[in-house]
Every structure is written in C-alpha cells, then in structure tokens.
Amino acid sequence: YVLKSTVYNNAICSADCTSIFAVGDDKLLKEIEFPASNVVKDISVGVELGQIVLSHSQRMFFAGVSEEGKIGAVRSYKFPLAGSTEMSEYQALSAPITRMRMSHDDAFLFVAGEDGTLAVFDVRDKDGKAPKRNKETSINFSEEILVTKSDLEEKNALMLELKNKVDELTLHND
C-alpha cells in the first residue's frame, strides 16, 4: 500500500492477519485489508500517532501521540474501530514514545520513551475489571537471580575463606 503524501510511523497486523493498522503524519488511522491492500477504514484521530499496539485478545487498541504539545501521551481506543473514535488519553512520558508492548495476558501495557522512562499501565476494562487470566497459560515468576560472573566469583571466594576459617577454629577448639 503506497500513499506518496504520507510518511508512515508504525503499522501492526491483526491476529488473524486479515487487517493491517497503520498511522502516519496525515493524522489518520488506517485499517488496510490484507492481502488486497484496500483501505477499509480511514479514521481521523486529530493528532499524529507514533507507536501503536493491539492487544492479543483483539479487544484493545493503544497508540502513542507523537505530535508537539501532546508528546508522550497514550491513547486507548475502543476496538474494533468504528467511524467515531471513542478513546481515553493519558499523559505517560515527557518525551516521545519509542516502544509500546502488551504483556502476553493483556494485563499490562509497557511504554518506553526517548528519555529512558518505562511506564507500566495496569490495563482494565471500562468498568474497572481486570482481564480474565487463564491459569493454564499464565507464566510463573522465575526463582533464578541474575548476577555478574565477577560477583559470583567474589561470593564463592568469600565462602571458601569463611569455610577455611570455620575449619581452623574447629581444629583449634579440638
């Protein structure tokens, strides 16, 4: 799909790979049918959008505003997209948004910015309910702790030194 007058900022594909959603400097949110490349919906959003993300459940659509004066704002759109753009806007960062991702269970939205800030949103329905989590597909927290090799070697050397000291004290007491 080519439109010479528009510079596209981001595009995502629906889960069933039948639609592509694209945003650019024309302040429009386009739904493009795939593979036919026909524009199904052309919705005016009023601002230039940068990063976009679609939830895994296909029920939520989020976009980062990249227009001067609203940089760093996150918009939540009602999905599937209708002719009117019912949305909520939240100011998240003080710099442009560089990445947006949803957690695997659609419970959290992660937003990273040029200023090095990471914002984490707890995603809920309009009623304030958290999305239903499937216990079978939920991921448990890891019990491993990541440390550098030098820290591990230092701890092992300290443990060996203390063990030798305990053995020495035990031998001295005997």
Side-chain angles (χ1 to χ4, degrees), residues 74-122:
V74 175
R75 286 186 168 190
S76 170
Y77 288 95
K78 185 176 180 180
F79 197 83
L81 299 170
S84 65
T85 53
E86 185 180 328
M87 62 91 182
S88 300
E89 186 173 293
Y90 306 95
Q91 186 64 43
L93 309 175
S94 61
I97 295 171
T98 55
R99 295 285 184 271
M100 291 176 69
R101 296 290 182 266
M102 290 291 297
S103 62
H104 70 285
D105 59 356
D106 292 339
F108 299 101
L109 172 68
F110 301 95
V111 179
E114 272 184 16
D115 57 354
T117 304
L118 174 67
V120 181
F121 288 92
D122 185 14

Side-chain angles (χ1 to χ4, degrees), residues 18-68:
T18 58
S19 296
I20 297 171
F21 301 93
V23 293
D25 63 356
D26 58 355
K27 299 182 182 183
L28 296 174
L29 173 58
K30 292 182 174 77
E31 182 177 351
I32 303 166
E33 186 179 48
F34 184 77
S37 296
N38 298 327
V39 176
V40 178
K41 291 179 185 159
D42 209 5
I43 302 167
S44 176
V45 292
V47 294
E48 186 177 333
L49 299 176
Q51 294 291 314
I52 55 176
V53 67
L54 182 61
S55 68
H56 302 289
S57 65
Q58 305 285 301
R59 291 181 37 221
M60 298 171 276
F61 185 88
F62 298 97
V65 179
S66 61
E67 187 171 288
E68 198 64 40

Side-chain angles (χ1 to χ4, degrees), residues 103-162:
S103 62
H104 70 285
D105 59 356
D106 292 339
F108 299 101
L109 172 68
F110 301 95
V111 179
E114 272 184 16
D115 57 354
T117 304
L118 174 67
V120 181
F121 288 92
D122 185 14
V123 179
R124 300 195 175 264
D125 289 342
K126 254 190 167 178
D127 304 333
K129 298 177 191 171
K132 293 179 183 176
R133 292 181 174 86
N134 188 351
K135 297 222 184 240
E136 295 173 7
T137 60
S138 67
I139 297 174
N140 294 328
F141 289 105
S142 174
E143 293 185 17
E144 290 80 20
I145 299 172
L146 300 177
V147 294
T148 62
K149 188 175 181 179
S150 60
D151 285 347
L152 185 61
E153 289 172 350
E154 189 178 303
K155 295 287 183 191
N156 285 338
L158 181 62
M159 282 176 41
L160 183 62
E161 183 182 322
L162 290 173

